[in-house]
Amino acid sequence: MSGLLLKNIRPFGGAATNILIRDGRIASIGSGEPENVKVEDGNGAIAIPGFVEAHAHLDKSLWGMGWHAHQAGPTLEDKISTERRLRRELDIDPRRQSARQVALAASHGTTAIRSHVDVDTDQKLWCFEGVAETRQHFRDVVDMEIVAFPQSGMMIRPGTLELMDAALAAGADVVGGLDPCGIDRDPKGQLDAVFGLAEKHGKPIDIHLHEPDALGAFSLELIIERTRALGMRGKVTVSHAFCLGMTDRLRVNALVEQLAREDIAIATTAPAGWPAPAADELRRAGVRLCAGSDGIRDTWGPYGNLDMLERALFIGLRNNFRNDSDVEYALHVCTQGGADVLKLESYGLHEGAHADLVLIDAETIPEAVAARPKRKLVLKRGQPIARDGQALITVE
Amino acid sequence: MSGLLLKNIRPFGGAATNILIRDGRIASIGSGEPENVKVEDGNGAIAIPGFVEAHAHLDKSLWGMGWHAHQAGPTLEDKISTERRLRRELDIDPRRQSARQVALAASHGTTAIRSHVDVDTDQKLWCFEGVAETRQHFRDVVDMEIVAFPQSGMMIRPGTLELMDAALAAGADVVGGLDPCGIDRDPKGQLDAVFGLAEKHGKPIDIHLHEPDALGAFSLELIIERTRALGMRGKVTVSHAFCLGMTDRLRVNALVEQLAREDIAIATTAPAGWPAPAADELRRAGVRLCAGSDGIRDTWGPYGNLDMLERALFIGLRNNFRNDSDVEYALHVCTQGGADVLKLESYGLHEGAHADLVLIDAETIPEAVAARPKRKLVLKRGQPIARDGQALITVE
């Protein structure tokens, strides 16, 4: 027997058909039922491409380590310093914890992940190396991009820039950054350094920008200017971008127009508690939008589960999406939207695409988003990695 | 055998103990293990009192009726008129649908519900009568309050006031109202009528107030004035109150102070996509706060599942609650907070209280909120109404 036939499945909730998978790719889609292949009956389940988790922190989750009582202070700096202290105290081992996150993500249907990984003068490359080990170990389960992320600041912690440089030389895929005003107090210095690393290593950029209102708009302008000046069109992502949720719509519209012009992507968690980019505005302007879970039950907070179908719900709720086509767009952000940002090759449900896909028992995509049933089957390159909500891989 | 012993359970996530239930009430809490009682081993599960769903619309859900493609226009009026048309077209039978909602709520651990029920010149008392029939049929499963709710407006639809009066005479528990400016275009007229009905029938009030910013603040002032003038302190609830999420903090603070003075309660869904009252501000001011699911997969939108543990998550996310004590407060809003608004007698986990309780497998309350496991066991007056996430009652 060669190949796997997914029988009676409905791509994107459409008409029932069969998908034949050979050599890890979709060989054909249609009513045919070739002989001598393994058959999996979908019983009318919806098929979608694997979820793309475009903003995670796999190195810092406390998943599986017992409950941690959250008591960090209210500021970003409180949470950063609390985390730095607790990493070693609690033994938050990046390799073990990232492996657990891969299993958790797989159980929910995620087949590609962009993970930020802390690089600082305390941890040095410990987090990067642990997550890189997980990436290698589970390379058949998930496509993983690693962002070298200066969580504790770069300019305010001398030595961090050199560690970032080392992480990128050692295989980190993306240059990270963080609140150039709010954390580093030196927006020109930090952004010149970040873009400098990107030029040196020929790698894309993904910058956390929590700064709100006019402050975030200022930092975003600096990012746009450098993207244009250095010819990095299409290679920069801004995560969170809370400033795009500010009340000054004229200012936001002007920023969105420039984001579209430089093809700068936005990654969102669709937060309920912060101003956030309006998905619809970005869609209309042609700005690529992807989504992610951010932290998963870490020292920053108790929430999160790496379930991108739940994230689609959060996008829907945050944006007041009610009509079917809007809710379908929320799911699109969590699948194709992520693939467009990570630039995944051969992604989707078409002949020749990688057979990374998810079966979900639901009548329609919006019902799947609203009800979030356990994933019936998750395939990575045609191989089952989860079934009935349970990952089929073993981790500590 | 007389009585039920819940063995090895942890009230509110505290130390393990046993709860003895006799005659539908908590007879004792302690390490004792009396003989000749039925025993249920909780295996260390958390015990909390039954959830209180304080804002639902049991008459309008499409649950179990197949997927309905949502295409209503963007305004509140669009959704109201679309719903009025579809009620009969789709046969959204209030009796059948409210019974399904009771089973769904029970499966998630809800033991008390306040449901708004549409009263208008098209449906007349059809919705009220259907839900009242469900209330009677399932009186051993859930304590249900019915709000006579003029969904389509009262002043703009002559005849509605008389129907409201009839519903209240026929057993509706609470007088409802809706956006006195936005929908009825006559705030004085509507609110005088609503408070008049409350006086006449000696019943409390629960008014939907979606109106944002200064408009909502104006309507809220009119509600406060009438509450004070008519001596209705403690008998008025305002649902949604989006205006309390407006950016003018001075204005909000003044309103909150008056709400506290008149003991006017707030019901929230903790919406991600609208400005909303800040739970923490209300808590500090001593304003009673309860929560609800609002519509459940109805013609208004695809979301909702009557899971108040998920609602606690939404409260946490909406309010940026991260520390354990804050997340515990989010759960409190969905339990005791609702009981304080519905004025449920003998509610809680103390000797003499009604044995309405939920067992949840989790280490702590915040973990329960973050992970939302299936409810292990739900008791109403000491009788199991759901187990392992499945309601034990039968509906069409």
Side-chain angles (χ1 to χ4, degrees):
Chain A
M1 293 205 300
S2 158
L4 169 67
L5 184 72
L6 290 181
K7 202 175 137 175
N8 191 14
I9 52 92
R10 295 182 301 121
F12 299 106
T17 187
N18 305 332
I19 291 184
L20 177 65
I21 295 166
R22 285 195 206 275
D23 303 323
R25 289 183 185 260
I26 295 176
S28 65
I29 302 177
S31 57
E33 296 193 27
E35 292 183 358
N36 291 321
V37 296
K38 207 173 153 193
V39 175
E40 182 89 42
D41 193 335
N43 287 308
I46 292 174
I48 58 170
F51 288 111
V52 180
E53 164 63 67
H55 187 109
H57 292 268
L58 300 191
D59 55 327
K60 53 178 65 179
S61 172
L62 294 161
W63 199 268
M65 292 177 61
W67 188 253
H68 166 74
H70 293 84
Q71 291 157 340
T75 71
L76 203 57
E77 288 82 355
D78 291 333
K79 292 181 176 63
I80 291 171
S81 61
T82 298
E83 175 172 65
R84 221 170 32 241
R85 180 171 58 76
L86 289 175
R87 266 197 194 280
R88 303 281 176 168
E89 270 181 48
L90 299 179
D91 182 31
I92 309 175
D93 177 53
R95 185 196 54 75
R96 181 190 64 224
Q97 293 309 108
S98 60
R100 288 177 180 170
Q101 299 294 286
V102 166
L104 184 62
S107 76
H108 296 308
T110 289
T111 56
I113 301 176
R114 172 179 281 186
S115 176
H116 298 258
V117 172
D118 288 9
V119 173
D120 69 43
T121 50
D122 282 5
Q123 325 303 336
K124 301 193 169 66
L125 299 189
W126 186 48
C127 301
F128 166 72
E129 287 162 356
V131 177
E133 205 173 320
T134 293
R135 173 173 65 176
Q136 171 64 15
H137 189 75
F138 290 109
R139 64 191 177 282
D140 297 332
V141 174
V142 65
D143 296 310
M144 193 190 299
E145 270 193 356
I146 296 178
V147 185
F149 176 51
Q151 171 78 77
S152 296
M154 198 148 65
M155 312 312 284
I156 53 172
R157 292 180 80 85
T160 305
L161 180 58
E162 292 72 15
L163 288 162
M164 291 280 291
D165 190 49
L168 290 158
D173 305 285
V174 183
V175 187
L178 170 72
D179 292 350
C181 294
I183 296 292
D184 259 340
R185 306 340 227 181
D186 177 5
K188 179 180 187 311
Q190 195 215 69
L191 291 173
D192 284 350
V194 164
F195 279 81
L197 285 171
E199 273 211 298
K200 175 177 174 185
H201 292 278
K203 292 186 173 174
I205 288 172
D206 191 333
I207 299 175
H208 282 61
L209 190 61
H210 309 93
E211 295 164 5
D213 294 320
L215 182 65
F218 166 66
S219 291
L220 191 51
E221 282 177 340
L222 299 188
I223 292 169
I224 293 166
E225 286 167 13
R226 282 162 179 74
T227 303
R228 184 181 302 133
L230 297 172
M232 285 200 61
R233 191 175 185 284
K235 294 180 182 159
V236 176
T237 302
V238 176
S239 287
H240 304 309
F242 294 153
C243 60
L244 294 178
M246 68 182 171
T247 50
D248 184 344
R249 308 317 297 159
L250 298 179
R251 188 95 165 86
V252 170
N253 291 343
L255 287 167
V256 168
E257 195 184 312
Q258 291 184 76
L259 291 174
R261 200 176 306 152
E262 296 308 323
D263 195 15
I264 294 173
I266 300 294
T268 190
T269 64
W274 299 98
D280 213 34
E281 288 177 3
L282 298 179
R283 173 169 48 165
R284 277 201 304 271
V287 175
R288 286 173 296 143
L289 177 64
C290 60
S293 303
D294 207 359
I296 303 300
R297 201 180 291 192
D298 53 28
T299 66
W300 292 63
Y303 308 117
N305 55 15
L306 283 168
D307 184 349
M308 291 301 288
L309 190 54
E310 182 165 287
R311 190 60 47 186
L313 172 77
F314 290 165
I315 293 171
L317 291 172
R318 183 67 184 82
N319 290 279
N320 284 319
F321 286 163
R322 291 165 181 248
N323 286 356
D324 285 40
S325 60
D326 288 331
V327 183
E328 285 162 7
Y329 177 67
L331 186 104
H332 175 94
V333 170
C334 298
T335 52
Q336 187 67 51
D340 291 343
V341 173
L342 273 64
K343 309 210 165 163
L344 298 178
E345 285 175 23
S346 303
Y347 179 87
L349 293 191
H350 52 81
E351 288 179 14
H354 288 306
D356 296 356
L357 51 83
V358 187
L359 299 190
I360 304 175
D361 275 324
E363 193 177 330
T364 65
I365 295 280
E367 190 193 10
V369 172
R372 296 153 284 148
K374 280 183 182 174
R375 303 323 101 83
K376 186 186 182 76
L377 181 67
V378 184
L379 300 182
K380 180 67 182 175
R381 304 287 195 266
Q383 299 299 317
I385 59 169
R387 193 182 287 275
D388 299 324
Q390 295 293 322
L392 301 174
I393 60 175
T394 308
V395 295
E396 285 173 58
Chain B
M1 291 203 301
S2 159
L4 169 67
L5 184 73
L6 290 182
K7 201 175 136 176
N8 190 14
I9 52 91
R10 295 181 301 119
F12 299 106
T17 187
N18 304 334
I19 291 185
L20 178 65
I21 296 167
R22 283 196 208 276
D23 303 324
R25 289 183 184 261
I26 295 176
S28 64
I29 302 177
S31 56
E33 296 193 26
E35 291 183 1
N36 292 321
V37 296
K38 206 174 152 192
V39 175
E40 182 88 44
D41 193 334
N43 286 308
I46 292 174
I48 58 170
F51 288 111
V52 181
E53 166 62 68
H55 187 109
H57 291 269
L58 299 191
D59 56 328
K60 52 179 67 179
S61 173
L62 294 161
W63 200 268
M65 292 177 60
W67 188 252
H68 167 72
H70 293 84
Q71 291 157 342
T75 71
L76 204 55
E77 288 82 355
D78 291 333
K79 292 180 177 64
I80 291 171
S81 61
T82 298
E83 175 172 63
R84 222 172 30 243
R85 180 171 57 76
L86 290 174
R87 264 196 195 280
R88 303 280 176 169
E89 270 182 48
L90 299 179
D91 181 32
I92 309 175
D93 178 53
R95 187 197 53 75
R96 180 191 65 223
Q97 292 310 107
S98 60
R100 288 178 181 170
Q101 300 294 287
V102 166
L104 184 61
S107 77
H108 295 308
T110 290
T111 55
I113 300 177
R114 172 180 282 187
S115 176
H116 299 258
V117 172
D118 288 10
V119 173
D120 68 44
T121 51
D122 282 6
Q123 324 304 334
K124 302 198 168 63
L125 298 189
W126 186 47
C127 300
F128 167 71
E129 287 163 357
V131 177
E133 206 174 320
T134 293
R135 174 174 64 176
Q136 171 64 14
H137 189 75
F138 290 109
R139 62 190 179 281
D140 296 332
V141 174
V142 66
D143 296 310
M144 193 190 298
E145 269 193 357
I146 296 179
V147 185
F149 175 51
Q151 170 79 77
S152 295
M154 198 148 64
M155 312 313 284
I156 53 172
R157 293 180 80 85
T160 305
L161 181 58
E162 292 72 16
L163 289 162
M164 290 280 292
D165 191 48
L168 291 158
D173 306 283
V174 183
V175 187
L178 170 72
D179 292 350
C181 294
I183 297 292
D184 260 341
R185 304 343 224 182
D186 177 7
K188 179 179 188 313
Q190 194 215 70
L191 290 173
D192 284 350
V194 164
F195 279 81
L197 285 171
E199 271 211 299
K200 175 178 174 185
H201 293 276
K203 292 186 172 173
I205 289 172
D206 191 332
I207 298 175
H208 282 62
L209 191 60
H210 309 94
E211 296 164 5
D213 295 320
L215 182 64
F218 166 66
S219 292
L220 192 50
E221 281 177 340
L222 298 188
I223 293 169
I224 293 166
E225 285 166 13
R226 282 161 179 74
T227 303
R228 185 181 301 132
L230 297 171
M232 285 201 60
R233 189 174 186 285
K235 293 178 183 160
V236 176
T237 303
V238 176
S239 286
H240 305 309
F242 295 154
C243 61
L244 294 178
M246 68 182 171
T247 49
D248 184 344
R249 309 316 297 158
L250 296 179
R251 189 96 164 85
V252 170
N253 291 343
L255 288 167
V256 168
E257 195 185 313
Q258 291 184 78
L259 292 174
R261 201 177 304 152
E262 296 307 323
D263 194 15
I264 294 172
I266 300 294
T268 190
T269 64
W274 299 98
D280 213 35
E281 288 177 3
L282 298 179
R283 173 167 50 165
R284 277 200 304 271
V287 175
R288 286 173 297 143
L289 177 64
C290 60
S293 302
D294 207 358
I296 303 301
R297 203 180 291 191
D298 52 28
T299 66
W300 293 64
Y303 309 117
N305 54 14
L306 284 168
D307 184 349
M308 292 300 288
L309 189 53
E310 182 165 286
R311 191 59 48 186
L313 172 78
F314 290 165
I315 293 171
L317 291 172
R318 183 66 184 84
N319 289 280
N320 285 319
F321 286 163
R322 291 165 181 248
N323 286 357
D324 285 40
S325 61
D326 288 330
V327 182
E328 285 161 7
Y329 178 67
L331 185 104
H332 176 94
V333 170
C334 298
T335 51
Q336 188 68 51
D340 291 343
V341 172
L342 272 64
K343 308 211 166 160
L344 298 179
E345 285 174 23
S346 303
Y347 179 88
L349 292 190
H350 52 83
E351 288 179 14
H354 288 308
D356 296 356
L357 50 84
V358 187
L359 299 190
I360 303 174
D361 275 324
E363 193 177 332
T364 64
I365 294 279
E367 189 193 10
V369 172
R372 295 154 283 149
K374 281 183 182 173
R375 302 324 99 84
K376 185 186 183 79
L377 182 66
V378 184
L379 300 182
K380 180 67 181 175
R381 302 291 194 263
Q383 299 299 318
I385 59 169
R387 193 182 287 276
D388 299 324
Q390 296 292 321
L392 301 173
I393 61 175
T394 307
V395 295
E396 286 172 58

